[in-house]
Amino acid sequence: MENITKIFPPNTVAVDNVSLDIRDSEFFILLGPSGCGKTTTLRIIAGLEEPTKGKVYIDGEDVTDLPPKERDVAMVFQNYALYPHMRVYDNIAFPLKLRKLPKAEIKRRVKEIAELLQIKDLLNRYPKQLSGGQQQRVALARALVRNPRVWLMDEPLSNLDAKLRTIMRAEIKKLQKNLGITTIYVTHDQVEAMTMADRIAVMNKGRVLQVGTPKDIYQRPRSMFVAGFIGSPPMNFIRVIFTVIKDRYYLYNESIKLKLPDDIGEILLNRIGVDREVILGIRPEHIRIVRNEDIHGDNVAYAEVFIVEPLGAETIVNAKLGNDIIKIKISEELTFEIGTRLKLYLDPNKVYIFDPKSEELLI
């Protein structure tokens, strides 16, 4: 995709100058909140929407002006879009019949893909006789049966229950790897994106904010939006002042005093100067609840339990730190009463520092 923009009348910019280079056989995910432009981007690739400006290339071929049927792409929609009056066999065979393939070839391909997706026992049923997971498999089979150049998927798991979603995530990823089909997948679910993608493009307000592997985006987010969107629970953000005291570098407010490593402090001093407000970002798993005798001095803060979310294997503690509510992720099965005073250790090697105006990462 080269400088793709899509403006809907009267003047709604749905996609804003997006350029993406998606690799052959890659599982690529467009991730972002509702209304960020990810589905419109997918529909432009499919040919279902015309870009206001920009070009789309597949295998080096300019397909910007080609109709959908000539692009050799297959799309799986959020609502599956199965034909209710057709049996499963005919739903899967439909794109092959449009291409006027011989009946024997159609039968061979439908049988092959039905076995691959474990739905061969469903071929004589109608969509209304299937569960959500079965309908999803039929939609996947119909998209894959003609072996397209590109496989496009628009939030295909959002209508499934949580357990089935987890199963289908693994199955789709395994299927994509086995078939080697270049796949572009739209979701607003960051867990889905982190577990399935080779690379992710994080989108907001029609723009691509960052592209990278799940690990890159998690460990090196370029902005507060990306940092807050990736990770479960999301990153904590705390307004602090950056200062220098006796040649040591600190972030502080009325509730916290964090001593920074010298190398980080020096870089920050050169970039923004001293006594400047910044946003401290720290993930819930990098805050530790400590006993009184464990740690003293800098990088210790005191908070009060606000609410506790037990999740079985781990617990999320929401704590009031000054005027902020922060989340702390702990692996132990500890119980806390609301109002309990906590002593916290914030790991200074795991902090992110953002500019409060641009919200871009400083270090």
Side-chain angles (χ1 to χ4, degrees):
M1 301 187 75
E2 198 174 84
N3 305 119
I4 292 290
T5 294
K6 177 64 179 181
I7 301 172
F8 290 106
N11 195 29
T12 302
V13 181
V15 181
D16 189 0
N17 199 35
V18 166
S19 293
L20 290 171
D21 189 3
I22 294 157
R23 299 162 191 160
D24 193 36
S25 302
E26 184 171 40
F27 199 119
F28 191 93
I29 286 188
L30 299 174
L31 173 69
S34 297
C36 74
K38 54 192 188 295
T39 294
T40 303
T41 301
L42 199 74
R43 289 174 63 84
I44 287 169
I45 297 169
L48 300 172
E49 298 283 356
E50 285 185 26
T52 306
K53 65 177 182 180
K55 296 282 185 184
V56 179
Y57 299 88
I58 299 177
D59 283 343
E61 176 193 357
D62 184 351
V63 299
T64 313
D65 298 321
L66 288 183
K69 66 180 182 181
E70 292 179 30
R71 296 190 183 201
D72 196 13
V73 302
M75 191 155 175
V76 180
F77 296 91
Q78 187 175 353
N79 62 358
Y80 316 141
L82 300 177
Y83 300 111
H85 63 287
M86 291 185 186
R87 296 183 192 272
V88 167
Y89 178 94
D90 296 309
N91 263 285
I92 298 171
F94 189 72
L96 303 180
K97 289 177 180 177
L98 281 181
R99 293 182 163 205
K100 297 184 168 55
L101 265 63
K103 280 188 178 180
E105 174 68 3
I106 292 173
K107 190 173 182 181
R108 182 191 68 79
R109 287 214 205 173
V110 171
K111 185 182 175 188
E112 196 176 80
I113 201 73
E115 283 182 359
L116 186 67
L117 284 159
Q118 299 173 10
I119 53 171
K120 60 182 181 182
D121 296 338
L122 308 177
L123 293 176
N124 286 320
R125 296 193 195 175
Y126 289 97
K128 67 182 179 183
Q129 297 172 303
L130 306 180
S131 68
Q134 290 169 334
Q135 288 187 44
Q136 177 61 69
R137 288 171 196 266
V138 175
L140 294 173
R142 187 179 60 190
L144 287 172
V145 73
R146 57 188 180 81
N147 194 24
R149 286 196 290 187
V150 184
W151 197 15
L152 305 173
M153 309 184 78
D154 186 10
E155 305 212 30
L157 306 182
S158 60
N159 292 332
L160 304 181
D161 64 61
K163 183 180 178 183
L164 190 53
R165 255 200 323 269
T166 304
I167 294 167
M168 288 301 296
R169 276 205 303 257
E171 290 197 6
I172 289 172
K173 184 168 184 177
K174 183 181 176 186
L175 189 63
Q176 190 269 340
K177 290 301 168 206
N178 289 343
L179 298 174
I181 294 176
T182 305
T183 299
I184 306 167
Y185 185 108
V186 159
T187 183
H188 64 271
D189 183 336
Q190 58 96 14
V191 174
E192 212 165 88
M194 294 289 283
T195 54
M196 297 177 78
D198 294 322
R199 285 191 305 149
I200 298 168
V202 182
M203 294 186 70
N204 191 36
K205 297 179 181 176
R207 300 184 73 89
V208 171
L209 303 184
Q210 188 169 348
V211 179
T213 65
K215 185 178 178 182
D216 285 342
I217 287 179
Y218 180 78
Q219 292 185 344
R220 290 182 286 278
R222 288 184 195 159
S223 67
M224 286 177 64
F225 180 86
V226 175
F229 205 80
I230 295 283
S232 181
M235 186 180 285
N236 296 300
F237 298 112
I238 305 164
R239 284 188 176 268
V240 290
I241 303 294
F242 170 65
T243 194
V244 182
I245 304 171
K246 295 181 182 177
D247 296 326
R248 295 288 182 263
Y249 305 98
Y250 292 92
L251 300 175
Y252 76 94
N253 64 20
E254 66 277 3
S255 307
I256 189 171
K257 185 181 178 187
L258 190 71
K259 181 172 173 284
L260 293 173
D262 288 348
D263 55 342
I264 293 176
E266 285 167 14
I267 293 169
L268 204 54
L269 182 64
N270 290 331
R271 285 202 183 158
I272 65 169
V274 73
D275 295 329
R276 295 286 299 276
E277 186 180 69
V278 293
I279 305 290
L280 161 66
I282 187 163
R283 293 201 180 276
E285 56 269 35
H286 296 145
I287 303 174
R288 197 149 53 89
I289 298 173
V290 295
R291 293 198 251 327
N292 284 336
E293 65 272 15
D294 282 353
I295 293 173
H296 299 280
D298 298 324
N299 308 335
V300 169
Y302 294 90
E304 192 177 280
V305 174
F306 184 70
I307 197 163
V308 179
E309 303 170 57
L311 299 173
E314 59 193 25
T315 302
I316 309 300
V317 179
N318 295 261
K320 201 166 189 309
L321 180 67
N323 295 321
D324 298 295
I325 301 293
I326 62 168
K327 288 181 181 284
I328 307 151
K329 189 177 188 178
I330 56 174
S331 54
E332 306 128 290
E333 291 186 36
L334 298 177
T335 55
F336 296 94
E337 294 294 325
I338 292 172
T340 302
R341 191 166 160 80
L342 300 176
K343 185 178 184 180
L344 308 176
Y345 173 74
L346 285 69
D347 188 340
N349 294 298
K350 300 287 189 181
V351 301
Y352 298 82
I353 301 166
F354 299 92
D355 184 291
K357 289 182 181 174
S358 68
E359 299 192 348
E360 296 294 307
L361 183 71
L362 291 167
I363 191 167

